[in-house]
Amino acid sequence: RRVEFYELKLAPKGVEKADAHAPGTVENLVVSKGSVDIVVGDATHALQAGDAIVFDADVKHEYRNVGATEAVMFLVMTYAEEVG
């Protein structure tokens, strides 16, 4: 599997929208600072500093900073192996 690692920072009330990734893509996200809502398809997950979530990222999803301060998250994205 291919893996990518990101540090995401969102300004207060900021929103980052993401299109669906390839089938089999998984995101593992940890909030290190702030309060965020992670929207995956039709489900919304409220997370605080220290919380984590793992979700299938092959649907539209978004990250919403619901707080009054910057939110910081660490994201590990894992892609399914390509069959060739």
Side-chain angles (χ1 to χ4, degrees):
R1 295 181 71 93
R2 291 188 0 243
V3 176
E4 296 176 356
F5 180 80
Y6 298 96
E7 178 183 38
L8 304 175
K9 294 182 178 184
L10 277 179
K13 307 301 180 188
V15 176
E16 179 71 26
K17 295 183 179 186
D19 290 328
H21 299 291
T25 302
V26 174
E27 292 192 16
N28 185 336
L29 180 132
V30 177
V31 179
S32 66
K33 177 182 171 187
S35 302
V36 297
D37 282 351
I38 306 300
V39 181
V40 182
D42 295 328
T44 300
H45 308 274
L47 303 175
Q48 306 293 321
D51 290 340
I53 185 172
V54 175
F55 61 92
D56 294 328
D58 54 3
V59 296
K60 288 185 178 181
H61 51 286
E62 60 186 61
Y63 318 91
R64 299 178 184 166
N65 181 348
V66 296
T69 61
E70 180 181 63
V72 179
M73 298 158 277
F74 293 97
L75 169 68
V76 176
M77 189 173 328
T78 306
Y79 299 94
E81 290 187 39
E82 294 181 15
V83 178

